[in-house]
């Protein structure tokens, strides 16, 4: 058999054998009591992870589906798209393709979204919705969510949509406390599940807005999700295998404990940061705004990043990302999210040292 190449890319991340076993459980009907009981069982734990008393919805889609759905459900007057990397930048194009009046709050890649600049834009009164990626995976920037949410509190008629795809369950995010209107995440990053599934929660304000929006469509209609959730069902056929795997993963997360889980991610992240400094590299993300789940390493040494990634895979069967989009080769990304421990991250770093000799 071919040796297994373990993923240390920022998504999809490595999926454990235990999770894959849960993913392969026997199938159940999605309109029967078994499914309702499954959804009912995992729901309180999902609410705890989201930091919300609102329902948490299950979407058989990548997070992009819910990101687009948020635009279709919420935007009437205009949407301000906070852009600081490849994925947040893409949200502007998605909004425009949905026919929405969309403008950019753009910063240079590697920089964070400035809450004061956001305040100035919202003061114009042109926008009723803001989109933000909490943890911009392409650049390794973690945006200052509390400061941004404090600005939004000044504008109660503006809805805030936050993508937490690569931070959810690895750092604490209190949806209700921060007054986030739509909080969404994907399965394939810090949750360490197979890709193709997402989760989201919606505030009462966002539901009220959706009721006034025509042409929401069906697949991502928030009101349809709410209606079906009342009976512990989903609007359309869900990926039941993902929900079985999610059930298994939630059991692991709460057995570990949320604070220990957050602390583990912080420790493994610090190991990577120490390695970056020791080896004479730099960080692409600015100091004070660096992700806790991945590190975007600036290739200031001018090494052949493609060769490094290839050598690491061929010699050690470990996979890293040689930079995303326009910064490919100028950076490389190392993930510490999901199930990774100090031992597994230390092994990655030792193998990187071997390939850099």
């Amino acid at each position: 058999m071919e040796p297994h190449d373990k993923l240390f890319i920022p998504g999809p991340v490595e999926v454990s054998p235990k999770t894959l076993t849960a993913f392969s459980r026997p199938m159940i009907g999605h309109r029967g009591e078994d499914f309702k009981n499954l959804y009912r069982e995992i729901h309180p734990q999902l609410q705890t992870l989201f930091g919300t008393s609102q329902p948490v919805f299950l979407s058989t889609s990548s997070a992009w589906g819910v990101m687009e759905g948020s635009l279709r459900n919420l935007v009437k007057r205009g949407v301000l798209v906070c852009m600081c990397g490849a994925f947040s930048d893409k949200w502007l194009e998605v909004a425009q393709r949905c026919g929405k009046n969309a403008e950019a709050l753009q910063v240079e890649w590697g920089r964070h979204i400035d809450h004061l600049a956001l305040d100035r834009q919202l003061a114009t009164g042109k926008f009723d919705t803001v989109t933000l990626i909490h943890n911009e995976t392409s650049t390794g920037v973690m945006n200052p969510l509390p400061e941004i949410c404090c600005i939004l509190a000044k504008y109660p008629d503006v809805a805030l949509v936050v993508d937490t795809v690569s931070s959810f369950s690895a750092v604490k995010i209190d949806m209700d406390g921060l007054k986030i209107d739509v909080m969404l995440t994907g399965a394939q990053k810090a949750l360490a599940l197979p890709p193709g599934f997402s989760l989201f929660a919606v505030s009462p304000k966002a539901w009220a807005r959706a009721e006034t929006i025509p042409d929401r469509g069906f697949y991502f209609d928030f009101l349809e999700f709410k209606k079906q959730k009342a009976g512990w069902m989903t609007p359309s056929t869900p990926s039941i295998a993902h929900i079985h795997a999610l059930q298994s993963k939630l059991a692991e997360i709460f057995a570990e404990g949320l604070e220990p889980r957050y602390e583990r991610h912080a420790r493994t992240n610090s190991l990577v940061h120490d390695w970056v400094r020791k080896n004479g590299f730099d960080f692409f993300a600015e100091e004070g705004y660096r992700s806790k789940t991945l590190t975007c390493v600036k290739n200031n040494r001018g090494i052949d990043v493609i060769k490094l990634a290839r050598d690491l895979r061929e010699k050690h069967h470990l996979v890293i990302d040689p930079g995303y989009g326009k910064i490919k080769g100028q950076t490389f990304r190392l993930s510490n999210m999901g199930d990774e421990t100090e031992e597994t991250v230390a092994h990655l770093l030792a193998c990187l040292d071997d390939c850099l000799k």
Side-chain angles (χ1 to χ4, degrees):
M1 292 179 63
E2 287 290 322
H4 171 61
D5 293 329
K6 181 177 179 180
L7 299 179
F8 279 95
I9 59 176
V13 303
E14 191 71 10
V15 178
S16 72
K18 181 179 180 181
T19 301
L20 289 173
T21 298
F23 196 80
S24 301
R25 287 176 187 165
M27 195 51 52
I28 59 176
H30 71 289
R31 297 300 187 209
E33 290 303 314
D34 287 343
F35 180 82
K36 295 176 184 179
N37 290 336
L38 175 60
Y39 196 170
R40 190 182 287 113
E41 178 184 330
I42 65 175
H43 190 257
Q45 293 176 318
L46 291 175
Q47 288 178 306
T48 300
L49 276 182
F50 272 80
T52 188
S53 61
Q54 299 302 315
V56 177
F57 303 116
L58 312 175
S59 177
T60 299
S61 67
S62 72
W64 271 115
V66 183
M67 292 162 76
E68 178 173 328
S70 298
L71 299 168
R72 292 187 177 277
N73 278 267
L74 298 183
V75 180
K76 294 180 74 175
R77 193 164 64 250
V79 56
L80 182 64
V81 181
C82 298
M83 296 165 54
C84 60
F87 300 105
S88 50
D89 289 7
K90 181 77 172 177
W91 220 338
L92 179 68
E93 180 185 353
V94 174
Q96 291 168 337
R97 288 194 185 192
C98 289
K100 302 300 183 181
N101 176 28
E103 294 187 25
L105 175 56
Q106 177 83 68
V107 299
E108 181 183 356
W109 282 26
R111 308 289 292 180
H112 73 285
I113 298 297
D114 176 29
H115 64 286
L116 297 178
L118 176 62
D119 193 8
R120 288 192 293 270
Q121 288 295 316
L122 293 182
T124 65
K126 294 191 294 183
F127 309 104
D128 57 27
T129 308
V130 171
T131 66
L132 175 77
I133 289 186
H134 179 217
N135 198 62
E136 174 54 70
T137 319
S138 65
T139 63
V141 168
M142 181 172 283
N143 283 304
L145 193 53
E147 291 91 332
I148 288 169
C149 289
C150 282
I151 294 300
L152 265 294
K154 295 172 56 178
Y155 303 93
D157 61 328
V158 178
L160 174 62
V161 183
V162 181
D163 167 328
T164 66
V165 170
S166 59
S167 57
F168 181 80
S169 86
V171 300
K172 183 177 181 178
I173 307 172
D174 182 358
M175 177 181 170
D176 287 356
L178 293 169
K179 293 182 169 51
I180 296 169
D181 293 299
V182 179
M183 180 168 149
L184 63 99
T185 192
Q188 76 280 11
K189 295 190 184 273
L191 280 175
L193 300 174
F197 199 75
S198 55
L199 309 162
F200 69 103
V202 178
S203 74
K205 182 173 88 175
W207 276 327
R209 173 79 62 79
E211 289 175 350
T212 70
I213 303 286
D215 303 322
R216 295 186 305 273
F218 173 77
Y219 198 83
F220 297 107
D221 181 356
F222 288 173
L223 300 181
E224 191 66 33
F225 272 94
K226 183 181 180 182
K227 174 184 173 183
Q228 294 296 331
K229 161 62 182 56
W232 299 104
M233 290 188 292
T234 54
S236 55
T237 308
S239 174
I240 295 169
H242 273 100
I243 304 170
H244 279 142
L246 176 61
Q247 179 187 39
S248 174
K249 181 57 63 179
L250 288 170
E252 290 181 25
I253 289 172
F254 284 91
E256 179 181 16
L258 296 188
E259 289 303 326
R261 180 177 176 83
Y262 303 149
E263 291 166 4
R264 172 169 58 83
H265 278 85
R267 290 195 305 272
T268 54
N269 188 249
S270 293
L271 280 178
V272 179
H273 285 204
D274 290 344
W275 180 88
V276 170
R277 297 183 185 99
K278 182 188 74 173
N279 282 276
F281 289 109
D282 202 351
F283 300 92
F284 189 76
E286 62 181 314
E287 186 173 359
Y289 301 94
R290 292 172 187 154
S291 169
K292 301 295 184 184
T293 61
L294 70 128
T295 304
C296 188
V297 185
K298 183 185 290 186
N299 184 19
N300 54 295
R301 286 177 48 180
I303 67 168
D304 187 338
V305 170
I306 304 299
K307 181 178 184 299
L308 173 64
R310 183 175 64 245
D311 290 349
L312 186 68
R313 187 167 196 158
E314 291 177 352
K315 294 179 66 175
H316 300 288
H317 301 289
L318 302 177
V319 184
I320 63 170
D321 178 80
Y324 191 91
K326 68 182 183 182
I327 55 174
K328 183 174 183 178
Q330 303 171 40
T331 61
F332 56 98
R333 298 183 297 166
L334 308 175
S335 169
N336 63 285
M337 70 181 82
D339 298 331
E340 302 309 330
T341 64
E342 288 159 286
E343 181 181 6
T344 63
V345 170
H347 174 67
L348 166 67
L349 301 176
C351 293
L352 282 167
D353 284 338
D354 179 61
C355 293
L356 285 170
K357 288 179 182 176

